[in-house]
Amino acid sequence: MSKDIVEDITSLKKERNALLLVHNYQDSKIQELGDFIGDSFELARKAKFTDNSIIVFAGAEFMAETAAILNPQKKVLIPSSMAKCPMAHMLSPTKMKRYRTLYPNTTIAVYVNTTAETKAMADICITSGNAVKIIKNLDEKQVLVGPDRNLAYYIQQQIPEIKIIPFPKIGYCYVHRKFIPSDIKKLIVRYPEAEILAHPEVSPSVQKIANKICSTSRMLKEAANSSSEKFIIATENGLVDRLRSNFPTKMFIPARKDAICIQQKQITIYNLYLSLLKEQYRIYIPPNIAKKARLPIERMLELSE
Ligand code: 13P
Ligand code: SF4
């Protein structure tokens, strides 16, 4: 990485009074420049309580949208307009309407990996880091959870007393779908002492062989607190880079070498520099949508405390 561009990014951040929020899957060079690195829940909370006038979001578009919904008076920028999470587009407002009609009295919890329009029609938002706690706190007999069916399965295993209804019919992350038990079993033979950490977006068959299922930031905490020296990691490989840089004496084995989120990787040092220089691309959420979408996000922040 050229020293000049790093210096330019650092001075532009100061000049613009900009906060750089970085998701755990971003390239390590971008992580090094971030003011805060975290999972989608931590980043939403950070965005809500910042004093900076500009937020630059190095992550998926839905994360930047969440920051903009929480901060209508601030400029929220995303360096690439291509960083759209495909799963976020698997639950359209039309599908939301259909399920509302099918289950008129059931609470609808949507994953934060959704568009602003979909959030505007939901009762509450959840992330991988807080879903179980929030759904438990709702004190309902049944809850609709979408769009990630694997996350819904994970929640159901943790809270058997509440009926979790996954919706819509198709909802998954193409990166986490790559993990399969046979690959992980081969790694277990090679590294029998390794602890297996998996994200709740992996399939039920992989969840069953994992030692811990957790959000990206929870994996960092687990690596810090566990006595294990070796870990098999079933999530996007940006997190593996972060684990290796935070814990250089421990060993982290990616459960698949091709677990790369192409959309999140659209953010580069160069377009990050351009984003700060030209203040592009601003996230715009129509005020009527933002007003409605703020409620389920605020409710999530309250119930997570
Ligand atoms: P986390 O909230 O665990 O960081 O996950 C976000 C995500 O997009 C996982 O694919
Ligand atoms: Fe979306 Fe999957 Fe990328 Fe996460 S890893 S942002 S769920 S496509």
Side-chain angles (χ1 to χ4, degrees):
M1 172 168 43
S2 123
K3 198 166 159 257
D4 288 353
I5 200 162
V6 171
E7 279 167 11
D8 287 347
I9 289 173
T10 312
S11 54
L12 276 169
K13 270 204 307 177
K14 259 195 212 136
E15 240 170 70
R16 305 270 195 261
N17 184 26
L19 176 78
L20 175 57
L21 296 181
V22 179
H23 185 257
N24 286 323
Y25 292 161
Q26 290 291 305
D27 192 273
S28 52
K29 295 179 192 84
I30 296 176
Q31 293 191 0
E32 280 163 26
L33 288 163
D35 296 301
F36 183 80
I37 316 164
D39 67 14
S40 53
F41 172 63
E42 293 170 329
L43 291 169
R45 200 169 45 190
K46 201 76 190 167
K48 170 144 172 88
F49 297 110
T50 178
D51 293 331
N52 298 66
S53 41
I54 295 183
I55 298 172
V56 182
F57 217 111
E61 185 186 63
F62 70 85
M63 300 175 189
E65 283 189 352
T66 304
I69 291 163
L70 290 167
N71 291 288
Q73 72 294 357
K74 289 186 179 149
K75 245 185 210 172
V76 178
L77 308 174
I78 187 153
S80 167
S81 52
M82 310 276 280
K84 294 182 197 306
C85 165
M87 194 212 294
H89 295 270
M90 290 176 184
L91 180 49
S92 63
T94 312
K95 286 180 188 162
M96 284 292 279
K97 231 181 250 166
R98 194 181 317 138
Y99 281 90
R100 217 12 129 202
T101 312
L102 283 171
Y103 298 91
N105 303 313
T106 302
T107 293
I108 301 187
V110 298
Y111 198 19
V112 73
N113 302 39
T114 43
T115 62
E117 289 82 356
T118 292
K119 287 186 180 78
M121 298 170 77
D123 297 308
I124 187 147
C125 267
I126 51 172
T127 71
S128 62
N130 60 25
V132 170
K133 183 173 181 184
I134 286 184
I135 294 192
K136 242 187 209 165
N137 281 348
L138 289 177
D139 204 22
E140 301 274 358
K141 284 198 173 63
Q142 61 173 33
V143 180
L144 279 149
V145 172
D148 188 24
R149 297 183 74 90
N150 294 337
L151 175 68
Y153 171 85
Y154 168 68
I155 300 167
Q156 184 65 86
Q157 301 313 298
Q158 301 304 306
I159 331 174
E161 65 279 15
I162 300 172
K163 185 176 178 201
I164 304 295
I165 307 165
F167 84 109
K169 282 202 172 71
I170 296 169
Y172 65 90
C173 162
Y174 75 95
V175 181
H176 288 85
R177 200 147 89 155
K178 291 183 179 176
F179 298 108
I180 47 172
S182 56
D183 287 343
I184 298 178
K185 281 177 186 158
K186 276 183 210 148
L187 291 172
I188 297 174
V189 172
R190 235 173 120 193
Y191 306 99
E193 69 282 38
E195 193 173 320
I196 305 162
L197 306 181
H199 195 275
E201 288 175 13
V202 301
S203 69
S205 57
V206 173
Q207 292 187 25
K208 281 178 193 147
I209 51 176
N211 296 109
K212 295 252 161 59
I213 299 163
C214 40
S215 80
T216 54
S217 286
R218 190 75 227 162
M219 287 187 193
L220 287 151
K221 290 185 186 109
E222 185 56 31
N225 298 331
S226 164
S227 56
S228 302
E229 293 296 319
K230 290 182 186 159
F231 299 84
I232 294 168
I233 304 296
T235 194
E236 209 270 353
N237 288 338
L239 202 263
V240 176
D241 295 340
R242 179 125 199 257
L243 286 160
R244 285 176 177 158
S245 107
N246 283 15
F247 309 103
T249 60
K250 297 198 174 191
M251 183 179 185
F252 299 96
I253 305 125
R256 267 193 87 101
K257 292 205 171 83
D258 60 350
I260 308 285
C261 175
I262 297 163
Q263 289 69 24
Q264 284 227 30
K265 266 34 184 205
Q266 295 300 315
I267 302 197
T268 63
I269 287 284
Y270 187 61
N271 63 28
L272 172 60
Y273 161 73
L274 287 181
S275 177
L276 280 155
L277 182 73
K278 299 186 178 181
E279 299 194 4
Q280 66 188 21
Y281 297 95
R282 186 166 183 180
I283 300 282
Y284 174 74
I285 314 279
N288 59 326
I289 301 282
K291 194 174 165 208
K292 289 185 195 153
R294 203 169 302 130
L295 298 173
I297 303 171
E298 297 271 15
R299 208 173 157 210
M300 166 184 85
L301 293 171
E302 274 162 34
L303 286 181
S304 308
E305 292 310 326

